[in-house]
Amino acid sequence: MSAFLKTLFGDASTVSVVAIVMATEVLLIANGQVALAAFAVPPLVLAGVAWLAAR
Amino acid sequence: MLDWTIVVPSFLAAAVEWVEAFTIVLAVSLSIGWRASIGAAVTALATLAVMTAATGGVLGLGLDIRWLQLAVGIFLLLFGVRWLAKAIARGAGLKPLHDEAQEFALTRAQLARGDWIASWLIAFKGVLFEGLEVGLVVAAFGLHGGAWASSATGALAALFVVVVVGLVVRAPLRRVPENAIKFTVGTMITAFGTFWTLEAVGGAAAWPWGDWSLLGLATFYALGGLALMALLHTRRTAGAVP
């Protein structure tokens, strides 16, 4: 079962990175920063990838 | 009419998983024979077909498209960041390159200790788990403008190519540059995931250049990923020097 869940969602670190990205998107949009979001989210995703790769 | 912007990423994403699945089936076939190992693979593929149809059916029940887009975008991000990070870590030398020959030898060693049922289950589980990721990719890309045929065609074409190439080459697919494929697919899936999640949360206005933003995102992740690979490689090399 754990292997199945890991296949679907990845490990806890991967889920954390995506959760932070999603929370940031929601916060930016909720605060009216729609134009900023397109430029802020991709670097944040890449930072998350860098952290996952360097672990 | 096939949408090639869906067929190509679906093909590449599926090919990575089918290569791994085929390697396992090939190893199992040496223990329990081709007939039994192919039987396990076909059973797993049939299970996957049912799961994919169910996933597509659930996603196509007329739910709000933005919620569907958000759910699929999150799935793509989960896959994309994982694959991209792995490819970067391997490219930088932080992790060993995925060695199909090593996986082949490991599977054979496991089989030597097991029985027929265990061998069959190894082939079944291998195809099921690798194929499950393909099923999710098909469902995800299929949602893009209802491009189910394009998405499924890409995945099935990848399965056909991998099986044919695998049978022709016979040796455990050492020549397939898996990390390069994984890096490319990781950038594309991450780009799609980023695009769809933000569009679902913020609406179409979130991306100032519309669909062209996808190209910009893929380029950004590709160049950023290559820069990260070089940076991590340099840090590792510098750290190894006393």
Side-chain angles (χ1 to χ4, degrees):
Chain A
M1 190 62 185
S2 61
F4 179 77
L5 290 175
K6 198 172 175 185
T7 299
L8 275 180
F9 302 109
D11 60 12
S13 304
T14 306
V15 174
S16 302
V17 166
V18 174
I20 290 169
V21 168
M22 291 311 304
T24 306
E25 286 186 9
V26 171
L27 276 175
L28 284 170
I29 299 301
N31 287 295
Q33 302 294 329
V34 180
L36 178 63
F39 297 97
V41 171
L44 181 65
V45 172
L46 197 59
V49 168
W51 178 68
L52 289 171
R55 282 183 313 135
Chain B
M1 188 72 180
L2 293 177
D3 182 349
W4 291 99
T5 62
I6 298 298
V7 173
V8 172
S10 178
F11 177 91
L12 291 173
V16 173
E17 302 305 329
W18 291 139
V19 165
E20 293 180 24
F22 185 84
T23 305
I24 294 168
V25 172
L26 190 63
V28 168
S29 72
L30 296 177
S31 173
I32 61 175
W34 270 113
R35 179 177 290 187
S37 60
I38 288 174
V42 169
T43 306
L45 287 173
T47 308
L48 277 169
V50 172
M51 291 172 75
T52 305
T55 308
V58 168
L59 293 176
L61 281 177
L63 299 171
D64 186 341
I65 189 67
R66 284 181 67 177
W67 286 108
L68 296 178
Q69 197 175 17
L70 181 64
V72 171
I74 289 172
F75 259 121
L76 290 182
L77 270 182
L78 286 167
F79 276 110
V81 296
R82 201 184 338 166
W83 282 20
L84 196 51
K86 272 186 190 171
I88 289 169
R90 285 172 179 161
L94 298 177
K95 287 179 182 170
L97 285 170
H98 192 81
D99 190 343
E100 300 298 345
Q102 191 180 32
E103 184 173 325
F104 180 82
L106 182 67
T107 306
R108 281 205 72 183
Q110 287 173 341
L111 293 178
R113 298 192 297 270
D115 55 14
W116 192 93
I117 294 175
S119 302
W120 192 92
L121 281 174
I122 287 174
F124 176 79
K125 280 167 59 180
V127 175
L128 186 66
F129 280 136
E130 302 299 345
L132 180 60
E133 296 192 33
V134 175
L136 290 170
V137 167
V138 167
F141 284 118
L143 270 177
H144 187 75
W148 294 102
S150 300
S151 184
T153 299
L156 289 174
L159 175 62
F160 178 76
V161 168
V162 167
V163 169
V164 169
V165 170
L167 290 175
V168 170
V169 175
R170 289 280 178 169
L173 306 175
R174 291 183 92 163
R175 293 178 186 177
V176 177
E178 191 199 327
N179 207 50
I181 297 175
K182 202 150 202 161
F183 180 83
T184 306
V185 174
T187 58
M188 293 171 80
I189 291 181
T190 305
F192 269 100
T194 308
F195 184 85
W196 285 358
T197 54
L198 189 57
E199 192 176 65
V201 173
W207 294 108
W209 300 290
D211 285 353
W212 287 101
S213 301
L214 262 174
L215 190 61
L217 283 169
T219 305
F220 174 76
Y221 288 134
L223 295 178
L226 289 172
L228 272 174
M229 209 181 284
L231 179 69
L232 290 172
H233 180 72
T234 304
R235 275 180 52 186
R236 188 184 73 91
T237 309
V241 177

